[in-house]
Amino acid sequence: MDEAILTGTTSTKALGFYNTGKALNAAITFINGYLKKKDTWIGVTRFFDRKVVLSGAGADKAYVTYCSDESKSFIKNRTTGKVDRTPTTSESYVLFHTVLDKNTEGVWQTSDIVSNRGDKACQP
């Protein structure tokens, strides 16, 4: 998703390669929100507290949770160059719950994702 937002298009190879089903549809909707406003982002997003549980026949399904710290990431408008330097709040931290399925080529693809912005589990 980051690549698509940074390059300004949903036609990246990685987006459809690593996402499928509901997760791909959600990603495209999320990315288009940025693109319609002519926004991108700058800064650093830190991902942490990854937890993986393998499941299914031959361990072909994984449930992955992780946190993101967006306190040093900011939205930048491509047209004006203006950067929205919002202050760090609880909303700067996001908890993700994902489902990944291993496809026939052995690639792990995110098939479902739910996020919870401001989740206490991710806050310092």
Side-chain angles (χ1 to χ4, degrees), residues 14-80:
L15 190 61
F17 187 78
Y18 290 112
N19 295 279
T20 187
K22 286 191 231 179
L24 179 57
N25 291 334
I28 290 170
T29 299
F30 181 78
I31 294 161
N32 280 333
Y34 274 82
L35 302 184
K36 285 179 186 173
K37 295 177 186 175
K38 301 197 183 317
D39 284 341
T40 186
W41 66 266
I42 62 168
V44 176
T45 300
R46 181 175 67 97
F47 297 95
F48 60 100
D49 285 351
R50 294 171 299 277
K51 294 174 186 75
V52 178
V53 175
L54 295 175
S55 181
D60 58 357
K61 184 177 288 289
Y63 298 92
V64 181
T65 60
Y66 60 94
C67 294
S68 72
D69 171 358
E70 299 176 358
S71 63
K72 294 181 178 138
S73 299
F74 306 99
I75 295 174
K76 177 181 177 182
N77 184 272
R78 291 178 188 278
T79 304
T80 66

Side-chain angles (χ1 to χ4, degrees), residues 83-101:
V83 177
D84 182 3
R85 296 200 181 269
T86 55
T88 300
T89 68
S90 62
E91 298 294 301
S92 303
Y93 302 92
V94 186
L95 176 63
F96 293 90
H97 297 277
T98 64
V99 178
L100 284 80
D101 295 296

Side-chain angles (χ1 to χ4, degrees), residues 1 3-5 7-17 31:
M1 289 190 326
E3 178 188 28
I5 291 168
T7 59
T9 180
T10 57
S11 297
T12 65
K13 288 182 182 180
L15 190 61
F17 187 78
I31 294 161

